[in-house]
């Protein structure tokens, strides 16, 4: 009689343990899926997401550096009085760039260097004002009379320095295939924004080689991509029959799209008037080359390239009309990111099983 309770306990435990284990396993899988969803949702929301940053100020205003209130764009007087140049950090064909200081904050002051290119400078300012969003560097002020623009400072600089930055000990943890793919997604997101901007379909013309493309974009401290230079951004208007040409000189090399190259052979001298115009699909042609730079040669990057092979092949179609839109490329990139993160999470799920 005394052994009966002992027998009952031994009979009951083997039935109870599997039920508890199964419940814990299901809870762990649900938690893993929830974390995966939150992770993906944090970086790339649904396709209908708002183009402007929710924290962005009304037109003509800005805020940055943790300040809660919006301030009006700085005027000529305020820039002359309150902004102090520290050192020259770059110079291009159109403008010279100075690291500067405003109210103990680092900022960037850009000034026209070639009076013959003042129209390009003013066009860039016009674009910068009109396109303020999470894809574009923040405008802090300007002075048209003095051809001066004030923008937010990003210490990591242009994308040309990406590989150098990722080898700094502080940032080595960022040097992974998924972080690099997210930078490529940011880049394609900027192209998609320009192709469907509030002003219409804009073409990124300052993009005749990879180094030039990378110089147009900034890497933020939280590892996102912003377009910084909008001096050469012509408008395509198909309904009005308006296409574009990126400059008035002959473009060469495999990096530029086929339709951007002189179509009449070496025997016919280049003439700008005879050069046919083109549309925004020139930007699509360049996406695979830029993304290849982003992906680098880290563990897993070749797997990413394999998954992007088809869409990149479509981007390189000789006929511009057969290339995908920037939105279609972006959709594919996001799907690949989601798929690969899920696949990376599967081994942990199998171990629990």
């Amino acid at each position: 009689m005394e052994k009966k309770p002992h027998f009952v306990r031994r009979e009951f435990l083997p039935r109870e343990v599997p039920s508890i284990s199964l419940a814990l396993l299901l809870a762990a899988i649900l938690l893993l899926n929830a974390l995966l969803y939150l992770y993906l949702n944090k970086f790339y929301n649904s396709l209908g997401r708002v183009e402007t940053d929710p924290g962005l100020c009304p037109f003509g205003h800005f805020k940055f550096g943790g300040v809660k209130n919006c301030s009006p764009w700085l005027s000529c007087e305020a820039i002359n009085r309150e902004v102090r140049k520290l050192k020259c950090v770059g110079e291009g064909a159109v403008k010279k760039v100075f690291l500067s200081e405003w109210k103990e904050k680092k900022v960037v002051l850009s000034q026209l260097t070639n009076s013959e290119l003042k129209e390009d400078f003013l066009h860039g300012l016009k674009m910068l004002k009109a396109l303020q969003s999470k894809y574009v560097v923040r405008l802090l002020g300007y002075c048209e009379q003095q051809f001066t623009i004030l923008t937010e400072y990003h210490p990591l600089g242009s994308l040309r320095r990406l590989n150098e930055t990722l080898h700094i000990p502080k940032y080595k943890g960022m040097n992974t295939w998924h972080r690099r793919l997210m930078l490529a997604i940011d880049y394609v997101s900027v192209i998609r924004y320009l192709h469907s901007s509030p002003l219409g379909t804009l073409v990124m013309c300052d993009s005749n080689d990879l180094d030039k493309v990378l110089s147009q974009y900034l890497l933020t401290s939280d590892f996102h991509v912003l377009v910084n230079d909008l001096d050469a951004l012509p408008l395509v208007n198909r309904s009005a029959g308006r296409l574009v040409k990126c400059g008035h000189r002959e473009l060469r090399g495999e990096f530029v799209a086929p339709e951007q190259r002189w179509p009449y052979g070496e025997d016919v001298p280049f003439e700008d008037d005879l050069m046919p115009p083109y549309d925004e699909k020139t930007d699509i042609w360049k996406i695979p080359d830029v993304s290849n730079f982003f992906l680098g040669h880290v563990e897993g990057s070749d797997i990413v390239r394999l998954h992007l092979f088809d869409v990149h092949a479509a981007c390189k179609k000789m006929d511009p009309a057969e290339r995908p839109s920037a939105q279609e490329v972006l959709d594919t990139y996001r799907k690949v990111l989601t798929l690969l993160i899920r696949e990376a999470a599967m081994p942990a799920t199998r171990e629990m099983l």
Side-chain angles (χ1 to χ4, degrees):
M1 295 293 293
E2 294 176 0
K3 292 181 179 180
K4 189 172 182 181
H6 180 65
F7 175 76
V8 171
R9 281 196 300 272
R10 293 183 64 186
E11 188 79 7
F12 176 74
L13 283 172
R15 294 175 184 172
E16 189 71 24
V17 171
S19 299
I20 295 172
S21 298
L22 182 60
L24 290 173
L25 178 61
L26 290 173
I29 292 173
L30 288 172
L31 178 61
L32 183 65
N33 284 331
L35 290 173
L36 177 61
Y37 172 78
L38 290 172
Y39 176 78
L40 293 171
N41 193 57
K42 177 182 177 182
F43 290 103
Y44 302 101
N45 300 324
S46 64
L47 299 181
R49 63 181 180 161
V50 177
E51 298 298 348
T52 53
D53 187 336
L56 206 65
C57 293
F59 182 80
H61 295 73
F62 72 93
K63 64 178 177 180
F64 78 112
V67 178
K68 292 183 179 180
N69 298 324
C70 295
S71 302
W73 286 335
L74 299 187
S75 64
C76 297
E77 182 184 357
I79 291 174
N80 292 332
R81 184 180 66 249
E82 301 173 13
V83 176
R84 181 169 65 95
K85 291 180 185 177
L86 298 178
K87 62 177 180 179
C88 179
V89 292
E91 184 173 2
V94 179
K95 52 186 177 285
K96 186 178 288 188
V97 180
F98 297 90
L99 174 62
S100 304
E101 192 174 59
W102 174 71
K103 293 188 175 180
E104 300 183 349
K105 297 182 179 69
K106 296 289 193 301
V107 293
V108 173
L109 188 71
S110 302
Q111 292 184 317
L112 178 69
T113 55
N114 185 346
S115 60
E116 294 180 1
L117 298 175
K118 63 182 180 182
E119 288 186 11
D120 291 342
F121 184 91
L122 293 176
H123 177 75
L125 174 58
K126 176 184 175 182
M127 295 294 105
L128 196 53
K129 290 192 290 185
L131 299 175
Q132 284 294 288
S133 66
K134 61 185 173 182
Y135 304 112
V136 178
V137 70
R138 187 168 292 149
L139 178 64
L140 308 180
Y142 63 92
C143 179
E144 285 194 33
Q145 297 94 315
Q146 298 173 8
F147 297 99
T148 299
I149 299 173
L150 193 70
T151 54
E152 188 174 9
Y153 171 63
H154 292 278
L156 295 183
S158 80
L159 288 176
R160 285 190 295 191
R161 298 173 51 194
L162 175 63
N163 289 323
E164 297 171 29
T165 299
L166 289 172
H167 282 92
I168 298 173
K170 179 181 177 181
Y171 299 111
K172 279 190 175 180
M174 298 286 195
N175 198 16
T176 62
W177 68 262
H178 67 275
R179 178 60 67 173
R180 283 177 168 271
L181 177 54
M182 285 194 287
L183 289 174
I185 290 174
D186 271 0
Y187 166 72
V188 177
S189 296
V190 173
I191 298 299
R192 193 262 309 194
Y193 175 64
L194 294 178
H195 288 185
S196 56
S197 83
L199 301 176
T201 302
L202 300 168
V203 181
M204 194 67 178
C205 265
D206 254 345
S207 56
N208 297 336
D209 57 64
L210 179 61
D211 192 64
K212 187 63 174 175
V213 170
L214 298 175
S215 71
Q216 309 301 304
Y217 296 85
L218 296 171
L219 180 64
T220 67
S221 297
D222 59 350
F223 270 70
H224 285 284
V225 173
L226 296 175
V227 63
N228 180 52
D229 196 330
L230 303 174
D231 294 345
L233 211 60
L235 178 69
V236 169
N237 187 338
R238 285 192 184 81
S239 61
R242 186 200 303 171
L243 299 177
V244 304
K245 288 191 287 187
C246 291
H248 304 287
R249 299 179 182 178
E250 182 177 1
L251 301 179
R252 296 175 178 269
E254 293 300 314
F255 188 82
V256 297
E259 63 272 24
Q260 292 184 280
R261 301 173 211 151
W262 180 242
Y264 302 116
E266 296 288 340
D267 295 335
V268 180
F270 176 82
E271 287 187 40
D272 184 42
D273 291 340
L274 298 179
M275 180 67 199
Y278 34 83
D279 62 18
E280 76 280 3
K281 291 297 183 73
T282 58
D283 289 334
I284 304 300
W285 171 273
K286 298 159 188 173
I287 286 176
D289 299 292
V290 181
S291 290
N292 188 54
F293 168 81
F294 278 121
L295 293 175
H297 300 285
V298 298
E299 182 179 355
S301 62
D302 286 340
I303 299 298
V304 178
R305 286 186 178 89
L306 183 63
H307 280 80
L308 296 176
F309 180 84
D310 288 342
V311 71
H312 283 173
C315 290
K316 291 293 188 180
K317 294 279 190 182
M318 296 297 289
D319 183 354
E322 294 181 5
R323 295 174 205 153
S325 66
Q327 182 66 68
E328 290 168 331
V329 177
L330 182 58
D331 291 345
T332 303
Y333 273 41
R334 286 174 173 163
K335 287 175 184 175
V336 168
L337 176 64
T338 302
L339 172 66
L340 292 178
I341 289 179
R342 282 177 179 164
E343 287 182 354
M346 285 306 294
T349 305
R350 291 193 189 99
E351 280 185 23
M352 288 189 290
L353 292 171

